Amino acid sequence: MRENESFFRRQLQSLCGLALLSPILRLIPGSAAEQAGRAAWAAPLLALPVLLLYAWALSRLRRSLQEGESLPDFALRVLGARLGRGFLLLLGGWLLLYCAFTLRVGADRFLVTVYPRSAAANFVIPMGLLALLAALGPLKSLLRVARMAEPLLLSVLLVLLLAGLRAADWTELMPLTPADAGLLLRGSWPSLDIAAFGLAAYFFFLPGQPREKGTFRRKAGLLALFPLGLTLLGAAVQGRFGAPLCARLSAPFFALVRNLVFFRSLERVEALVVGLWILPDFLLTGLCLQAAQRCLRLACGYSPQPEERRLDFANGRWLIWLGGLAAIGLGLVLAPEPASLLFWSRRLIPALSLSAALLIPGLLLLGLKRKRL
C-alpha cells in the first residue's frame, strides 16, 4: 500500500470516528436505557459480533470495486443506469434528511443545556451554511479539520469519561444476571445502528484500490474498541443517573457534565463542553452533504471530480447548493416539539439509518447474483 493511501485511510477513520460522536452522545445510553433498562450500559458489547460480520461484508464489497471506483459508481454498475440512478436518488435524499436532523438535534442540545430562551434557527442556519461550505470544497478539507480536532475532542471526552466513572454509583449497574440476556440484546440496537452508519460512511468514500493481505483482521481489532468505549460511556452516565432517568433525558451525557463534582467550581463549564461538540456536528453534516451531493450528481448524469472550485456551478454543482439549502430548510421545520424530536431521535432516524446501512451489503449480494463483480 502506498504511503499516501495509508494516510488517507487514517484521515478518513478520524473523520468518521469524530462524526459519530454526535449520534453517540445523543443515543448512549438514553435510547438503550429505554429498551434495556438496567442492562443498558453493557448492551453495546453484544453488538460486536454483528459489527464484525457487517465490516467483513463491506470489506468484501470493496474488493469488488474497480480501481478508483466508489460505492455510488459500483451501485450504477451493478443495478444498471435506471435502477441505479433511482437508488442513488433515494440514498442522496436520505443523507439530506439525516443532515437536516443533525442540524435540528444539535440546535436542541444548545436550547436544552445552555440557551433555553433562544430559537433553533439561530443554530440551524449557521451550522447548515458551514456544512454547505464544506460540501462545496474537496473532502480533504473535512479530513484536515478532523485530524486537527481529534486530539482535543478525544482528550476532553477521556477526562469527562474518567470523572463520570469515578462518580458512578455501581449499584445502578450491577449485578447483571443471565436473565438479562434478552434486555442486553434489545439494548444493543442503538450501538449497532451508530457503528453501521460509521462503517458505511467510511467505505462510501474509500475508493477501490489494491489492498494488503490481512487488512480486515487488523481493522477488526480496532473495531472491537468501539463497543467497549460505548460500554464505558454508558456506565458513566447510567451510574450517575440510573436507567429510568437516562431514558427520559434528551441529552444524558451533557446532563452528566453539568453534575460532575470537579466542575462545580467552574461557572457555566457545560457551555464550553457543549460548544466543543459543534465540531462533531459540523463534521457529520459536512460528511452527509459530501456523500449526498455525490449520489445526486451521479444520479443526474454528472461526474464529480476530485478537485473542483467552490463557486463553480458547472458539472451539476448547483445540486450541492440545492441540497444544502434543502437540509437547512428541513432542519428549521423538522420536529418542532420535544416529544416529536425524541421520536425522530430514538425511533424514526435509527430505523431509517439501519435500513440504509443494510442496503450496501445488499448490493454485494446482487452483484454476486448478476456476476458483475
Side-chain angles (χ1 to χ4, degrees), residues 5 40-41 63 69 85 96 135 144 152 196 208 233 251 266 268 315:
E5 294 172 350
W41 69 277
R63 290 200 299 270
E69 190 178 46
R85 288 179 177 179
L96 290 180
R144 289 168 180 167
L152 173 62
L233 176 63
L266 299 178
R268 306 294 292 172
N315 195 25

Side-chain angles (χ1 to χ4, degrees), residues 32 35-37 39-40 43 46 177-189:
Q35 301 177 52
L46 267 68
T177 67
D180 295 316
L183 292 175
L184 287 168
L185 186 61
R186 288 172 54 190
S188 66
W189 284 105

Side-chain angles (χ1 to χ4, degrees), residues 174-212:
M174 301 295 289
L176 295 179
T177 67
D180 295 316
L183 292 175
L184 287 168
L185 186 61
R186 288 172 54 190
S188 66
W189 284 105
S191 304
L192 182 62
D193 169 62
I194 294 169
F197 181 88
L199 285 169
Y202 175 76
F203 282 94
F204 182 98
F205 288 102
L206 202 62
Q209 56 193 17
R211 302 182 60 202
E212 290 180 334

Side-chain angles (χ1 to χ4, degrees), residues 100-121:
F101 169 76
T102 303
L103 292 174
R104 175 66 183 90
V105 80
D108 184 72
R109 185 172 65 244
F110 272 98
L111 298 178
V112 169
T113 58
V114 185
Y115 301 110
R117 296 185 180 180
S118 186

Side-chain angles (χ1 to χ4, degrees), residues 246-276:
C246 283
R248 294 197 300 270
L249 290 171
S250 60
F253 172 78
F254 296 101
L256 172 67
V257 172
R258 181 180 298 174
N259 287 274
L260 285 176
V261 172
F262 70 88
F263 278 150
R264 286 179 182 169
S265 61
L266 299 178
E267 185 179 1
R268 306 294 292 172
V269 72
E270 69 271 16
L272 173 63
V273 176
V274 171
L276 281 177

Side-chain angles (χ1 to χ4, degrees), residues 9-43:
R9 281 174 175 272
R10 292 195 298 270
Q11 286 185 313
L12 192 56
Q13 288 168 11
S14 297
L15 173 58
C16 294
L18 291 187
L20 287 186
L21 287 177
S22 182
I24 285 172
L25 300 184
R26 171 171 53 86
L27 293 174
I28 304 297
S31 182
E34 193 176 29
Q35 301 177 52
R38 185 189 186 90
W41 69 277

Side-chain angles (χ1 to χ4, degrees), residues 259-324:
N259 287 274
L260 285 176
V261 172
F262 70 88
F263 278 150
R264 286 179 182 169
S265 61
L266 299 178
E267 185 179 1
R268 306 294 292 172
V269 72
E270 69 271 16
L272 173 63
V273 176
V274 171
L276 281 177
W277 255 255
I278 288 177
L279 287 170
D281 287 347
F282 166 69
L283 294 173
L284 181 57
T285 52
L287 192 68
C288 287
L289 281 183
Q290 277 276 0
Q293 63 95 2
R294 181 167 185 83
C295 290
L296 296 176
R297 290 167 71 189
L298 283 172
C300 293
Y302 299 104
S303 180
Q305 301 301 314
E307 297 292 337
E308 296 176 323
R309 291 180 297 174
R310 288 184 187 274
L311 298 181
D312 187 2
F313 279 74
N315 195 25
R317 286 181 56 81
W318 56 271
L319 285 166
I320 306 177
W321 291 87
L322 182 62

Side-chain angles (χ1 to χ4, degrees), residues 72 119 122 132 148 159 210 268 293:
N122 294 333
L132 174 58
M148 289 188 294
V159 170
R268 306 294 292 172
Q293 63 95 2

